[in-house]
Amino acid sequence: MTFDELAGLATPELEKKLDDTYRELFNLRFQRAQNQLKDTNSIKRVRHDIARIKTVLRQRELAQTIDA
């Protein structure tokens, strides 16, 4: 997902997406440990997705503290 797509989602949706991507990362690491992983770049892609989601969540958190 791109940053713009993530910024358009609501906070609960982002939190659910974050949980799903962590679960996906776990599964990919498990596949790598068993030598069943075909696309090794998928781990990097998922890690970048997690970072993007966390960035959007943090921006929203900071925006709330500024407004308060």
Side-chain angles (χ1 to χ4, degrees):
M1 292 195 95
T2 65
F3 188 80
D4 293 333
E5 293 172 351
L6 291 173
L9 296 176
T11 302
E13 292 173 343
L14 281 174
E15 291 171 350
K16 183 182 181 318
K17 187 119 182 112
L18 184 63
D19 290 339
D20 293 342
T21 52
Y22 271 125
R23 196 169 296 117
E24 182 181 357
L25 180 62
F26 174 78
N27 290 333
L28 290 172
R29 286 179 176 166
F30 194 72
Q31 288 175 8
R32 182 179 63 183
Q34 293 180 341
N35 291 328
Q36 295 178 348
L37 186 62
K38 294 182 181 9
D39 182 19
T40 55
N41 287 332
S42 59
I43 292 176
K44 183 178 179 181
R45 179 186 48 81
V46 170
R47 289 179 62 217
H48 282 268
D49 287 344
I50 289 172
R52 284 187 195 104
I53 294 169
K54 284 184 156 188
T55 301
V56 172
L57 288 172
R58 180 66 177 155
Q59 285 177 342
R60 290 182 182 178
E61 180 182 328
L62 292 174
Q64 287 178 352
T65 58
I66 291 172
D67 293 338

